[in-house]
Amino acid sequence: MSEIPETPSGVVWQSSPPGSIYDYIRVASFSIGPDGLVDQWSRRAVELFGVTAEDARGKDPVEAFMPADLRERGHRRVREILDGKEWTGLVPFRMPGEDRPHGIAEMYVMPSETESGERAALCIVVDVRALRRIETDLAASQAIFGQSPFGFLLFGTDLTVKRANRRFATVFGGSADDHRGRTVHDYLPRAEADRMTDALRRVLETGESVADLQIVGAAPGSTDRRQWSINLYRVHSGSGRPVGVAGLGIDVTRRHNAAREAASARRNLALLNEAGARIGTTLDLEATARELLDVAVPGFCDLAAVDLYQGLLTGDEAPPGRMGSPHDVGYGAGSAELRRVAVASAVSDRRVQIGRPRAAGDDTAARTAGADREICCDDGPIEVGSVHRYPFNSPCADALRAGRIRTVPGADGSLVQSTLVVPMVAHDTVVGLVQFSRARGSEPFGERDRALAVELAARAAVCIDNARLYRREHERALILQRSLLPPGDPEAAGLDIACRYLPGTTATEVGGDWFDVIQLPGHRTALVVGDVMGRGLRAAVAMGELRTAVRTLAQLDLEPAEVLSHLDEIARGLGAPGGAQQSARAHKARGPELSEVYLATCVYAVYDPVTRRCTFANAGHLPPVLVEPGEEALLLDVPPGMPLGVGGEPFEEVEVELPEGALLALYTDGLVESRDHPLDEGLSAFRSALSDPGRPLEDVCDHVLSTLDTRHGEDDIALLMARIQGLPAEAVGDWRLPREPRSVGRARELARAQLTAWELEPLVDTVELLVSELVTNALRYGEGEIRVRLLRDRTLVCEVWDAGLVQPRRRRAKDTDEGGRGLQLVGLLSAGWGSRRTPRGKTVWFELALPDGDGLAEPTVDQLLSMF
């Protein structure tokens, strides 16, 4: 016998195991004496009726517990029982003090005898409600085991199957009884069975339920991997003793596959979102390829490589390849040349690189390939930077020809499970190839993965093609821009010149900065620095047009303010095909938004080395910087004016006398302006960098560029510096002659004497002849006093001034004309000649090379006779 836990009615001794049916039914008993009154009352009766033994003994059970309308019948039954009859039936009963029935008891009454031989009765009572609960529980249990659509197992304390339902038997075969005595090792692989056994043992020992235990296995006779969600809980007897573990299994394979598909879709969307944010952040081809691999590895694949056409990287004009065109991929000889530009790997246990896939049917290469090659290669892995071709029959060449994705299985002994070979197509143009590989053990590529691979490659291809187009435009604009800048170090009379031009990097568009040094008559020099607002090819073209216009206007020897006024008209006409007037009408009639607006800033300065005076005019540009010997750098107070292209405002001129040895600097805003500091700080730093102007001018330029925080690459930088070196007095001959015929002879005498003093005797005859012609023209067609000036520097210049406004015009004289050949003779014998207006008349000049220079050859007799 064993002892079970104490109950309110005391200790119960029993030999049957705990959890028997009596624990659930709770049978009560009492006895009736010969007088029909209760003489014994059990503890279960106390629990059932709620009446203590003291209160129950000596009472008539019919009067005490039966409703009034049933008492007569009850008394009759009691008499019959005391007469020796047995009786079984349902009896409504009430609790003492209540009028209504409390419940229905199933009663079994047996006659008995006392010690004295008198008739008595023993009554066994069961509450019908307890029986109905048992029936309901049995029905529910049968529903779970017999009718449940889920697999159900009941494990005993020895973890063997005690009971299985029909659903479980349908999946795993046999009948429900056939599974009794089996263990989980009879259904699952060893690893999963061990997990399940550990979970069963833990639930049995601790009583803690397990929910949604994921188990993977296969049904008997099937190779399909199934996924089950298992719920385990401990089962107790009525007394609370553990009797086993119940397991409910649900096949969640579809749900798992759907969740995996949803997770894959979310991952792909996340990858595409990341690709949109990370691919194409620069305009560098190779950097874009690396960005593609940074997104793909390891989020999409384990290994990846990108090949781009060599022609694409070298800047060929022709598109690298057209989809479906065999010629573009080297028809008959494999693919065109490609360069491996990027490789990425998430495989850390050994060095793995992607090489050339073997040609179709090349099984020998597949069997002999080394473990370091992921796709079976003919010649081994391809290193980054190497140029190669794919064989004609290879999947890569086929993908390039067709422009379609190809799937290549991994070779025997390779770490790669499979590879997606994806052509990079942008605007129907194949720009390269990307290979995505997954190592063995990773999930195989699916259709969704193929679509994602194509999308990733296409996005990168568009960015690469955009970078190619941008680079081509950038190079063209740069070539155009550089072709328009002065070649080498410009030279000028009375000036030591140094210049620097730094274009923006390839990551920024070409700007419209320019500078120029233009030789003017009389050894004067025009210094120009300008900046077209905007960037790209348009700005470079506008800069070229403005620079050409400046050179043309400079040759007319106009004043600086006039030059800028004409430039302003030209700039306003650049945005309209019909010129400035049509542009103005378009602005007025249709609105400025329908016309392109070209704005530019410019400083135009003319330096005269004889007087060392410089005339400035400014169109919205930064002020020039002047550094006098022994003084600090200062900004010249030149009225800024409006930028070119605005129109409507006149430009002012400022004339400044520059001391010998002074330093003049013209520059663009890229030198002093940055997003990191205001313009005033940049100008102050620029002035400080010019604190030692006595050094060689080239060194000064280098010092400025290395000292200033220019953030080079954000904008173009143009710097033009000139050190003042005026013509010495002994290099100038200047005479004023009265307006009379003898001044012609006097001019020849003065010129001969000056040339002799300069030891330029070889030029005496030519100069005398040409001076005679110009002075004669001044007497015949000019007005007022005549001024003759000879200037010696790198060349010899002669100028004849008068107060007349009529400009000389060269014409071809007829054979019968006695005159009209003077200017023809000047043009034939001089290196150059011309005329310009002055504030008080005009100046006619000619230029000759010095004897030791590369002068013009002496005119032939035929050339001289051709004038007559």
Side-chain angles (χ1 to χ4, degrees), residues 134-201:
I134 293 175
E135 291 176 356
T136 303
D137 292 345
L138 289 175
S141 175
Q142 183 60 30
I144 293 175
F145 269 81
Q147 302 173 22
S148 172
F150 309 120
F152 202 100
L153 289 176
L154 179 62
F155 296 91
T157 55
D158 57 354
L159 303 185
T160 61
V161 177
K162 300 302 181 183
R163 188 175 179 184
N165 68 346
R166 285 196 304 268
R167 176 58 181 168
F168 184 85
T170 300
V171 175
F172 287 93
S175 65
D177 293 337
D178 293 339
H179 295 276
R180 295 180 185 273
R182 293 184 180 181
T183 66
V184 292
H185 287 82
D186 296 320
Y187 307 105
L188 300 175
R190 182 179 181 83
E192 293 293 271
D194 290 342
R195 288 180 57 229
M196 182 75 171
T197 301
D198 292 340
L200 287 170
R201 186 175 292 111

Side-chain angles (χ1 to χ4, degrees), residues 460-476:
V462 170
C463 294
I464 288 174
D465 194 52
N466 289 342
R468 175 182 69 87
L469 296 175
Y470 170 79
R471 185 176 66 179
R472 184 179 65 182
E473 180 181 349
H474 185 274
E475 290 176 351
R476 289 177 178 177

Side-chain angles (χ1 to χ4, degrees), residues 71 84 164 283 319 480-481 487 595 716 797:
R71 290 174 185 170
L283 290 172
L480 173 63
Q481 187 182 50
S595 304
D716 294 356
V797 174

Side-chain angles (χ1 to χ4, degrees), residues 412-658:
D412 294 339
S414 168
L415 291 178
V416 167
Q417 175 189 116
S418 63
T419 297
L420 296 179
V421 179
V422 190
M424 305 177 71
V425 182
H427 310 113
D428 293 332
T429 300
V430 181
V431 299
L433 189 77
V434 58
Q435 300 178 51
F436 301 110
S437 300
R438 286 184 179 175
R440 297 193 184 278
S442 298
E443 184 178 354
F445 287 115
E447 286 301 319
R448 193 187 301 274
D449 295 322
R450 289 168 59 91
L452 178 60
V454 172
E455 179 65 23
L456 289 175
R459 292 198 178 196
V462 170
C463 294
I464 288 174
D465 194 52
N466 289 342
R468 175 182 69 87
L469 296 175
Y470 170 79
R471 185 176 66 179
R472 184 179 65 182
E473 180 181 349
H474 185 274
E475 290 176 351
R476 289 177 178 177
L478 193 58
I479 291 172
L480 173 63
Q481 187 182 50
R482 289 179 173 174
S483 67
L484 296 174
L485 295 175
D489 292 331
E491 295 181 354
L495 292 175
D496 181 15
I497 294 178
C499 54
R500 293 289 187 275
Y501 177 76
L502 300 178
T505 62
T506 56
T508 59
E509 293 187 275
V510 172
D513 294 14
W514 91 91
F515 68 92
D516 209 347
V517 177
I518 306 172
Q519 300 295 327
L520 300 178
H523 286 315
R524 294 172 306 128
T525 303
L527 303 175
V528 188
V529 168
D531 184 2
V532 176
M533 299 181 186
R535 308 193 66 79
L537 191 59
R538 291 176 62 255
V541 170
M543 177 270 285
E545 293 184 353
L546 291 178
R547 178 180 180 271
T548 302
V550 169
R551 279 191 161 267
T552 302
L553 295 170
Q555 295 305 321
L556 298 177
D557 214 354
L558 302 176
E559 296 296 324
E562 292 184 79
V563 170
L564 293 186
S565 295
H566 287 294
L567 281 179
D568 180 58
E569 292 291 333
I570 293 172
R572 283 190 289 163
L574 292 179
Q581 293 181 352
Q582 289 191 16
S583 176
R585 289 196 295 269
H587 276 276
K588 183 176 181 180
R590 296 178 297 168
E593 67 279 358
L594 299 180
S595 304
E596 288 187 284
V597 178
Y598 287 84
L599 298 178
T601 62
C602 181
V603 170
Y604 186 86
V606 176
Y607 171 69
D608 188 343
V610 179
T611 61
R612 290 201 306 274
R613 300 186 71 83
C614 189
T615 304
F616 295 91
N618 190 355
H621 203 79
L622 295 172
V625 175
L626 179 65
V627 187
E628 297 185 6
E631 301 291 339
E632 294 183 355
L634 57 90
L635 299 176
L636 291 179
D637 186 13
V638 179
M642 299 298 292
L644 302 176
V646 175
E649 294 293 332
F651 297 98
E652 300 182 36
E653 293 180 356
V654 172
E655 189 176 60
V656 179
E657 183 172 352
L658 306 178

Side-chain angles (χ1 to χ4, degrees), residues 42-58:
S42 70
R43 294 181 180 177
R44 290 287 178 88
V46 175
E47 296 176 6
L48 177 61
F49 295 103
V51 178
T52 63
E54 291 78 5
D55 294 336
R57 282 194 296 266

Side-chain angles (χ1 to χ4, degrees), residues 97-319:
E98 295 181 0
D99 294 331
R100 292 183 177 182
H102 179 75
I104 297 177
E106 184 170 351
M107 185 175 296
Y108 176 51
V109 183
M110 298 171 289
S112 64
E113 292 183 359
T114 64
E115 295 179 356
S116 60
E118 294 180 301
R119 297 287 183 93
L122 177 62
C123 301
I124 305 298
V125 184
V126 177
D127 190 348
V128 175
R129 291 175 299 179
L131 294 176
R132 298 295 179 265
R133 284 196 299 268
I134 293 175
E135 291 176 356
T136 303
D137 292 345
L138 289 175
S141 175
Q142 183 60 30
I144 293 175
F145 269 81
Q147 302 173 22
S148 172
F150 309 120
F152 202 100
L153 289 176
L154 179 62
F155 296 91
T157 55
D158 57 354
L159 303 185
T160 61
V161 177
K162 300 302 181 183
R163 188 175 179 184
N165 68 346
R166 285 196 304 268
R167 176 58 181 168
F168 184 85
T170 300
V171 175
F172 287 93
S175 65
D177 293 337
D178 293 339
H179 295 276
R180 295 180 185 273
R182 293 184 180 181
T183 66
V184 292
H185 287 82
D186 296 320
Y187 307 105
L188 300 175
R190 182 179 181 83
E192 293 293 271
D194 290 342
R195 288 180 57 229
M196 182 75 171
T197 301
D198 292 340
L200 287 170
R201 186 175 292 111
R202 186 168 58 253
V203 171
L204 187 61
E205 292 175 353
T206 65
E208 296 180 359
S209 301
V210 172
D212 197 22
L213 175 64
Q214 297 293 317
I215 296 295
V216 179
S222 174
T223 58
D224 294 339
R225 291 166 59 90
R226 311 297 295 177
Q227 186 116 3
W228 291 287
S229 173
I230 306 297
N231 298 297
L232 303 176
Y233 58 92
R234 192 167 67 181
V235 179
H236 303 85
S237 67
S239 62
R241 180 179 64 89
V243 295
V245 177
L248 178 66
I250 304 173
D251 190 338
V252 294
T253 305
R254 291 185 179 179
R255 186 177 70 186
H256 176 74
N257 292 340
R260 185 173 59 183
E261 287 293 320
S264 176
R266 287 193 297 269
R267 181 199 65 186
N268 292 352
L269 289 175
L271 276 175
L272 289 177
N273 183 59
E274 185 181 7
R278 296 181 58 184
I279 298 177
T281 59
T282 68
L283 290 172
D284 183 82
L285 301 179
E286 298 182 6
T288 302
R290 289 192 295 270
E291 290 170 347
L292 168 62
L293 300 193
D294 290 341
V295 172
V297 179
F300 176 68
C301 62
D302 301 313
L303 305 156
V306 176
D307 298 317
L308 297 180
Y309 276 111
Q310 179 69 358
L312 179 80
L313 297 168
T314 55
D316 291 350
E317 290 294 326

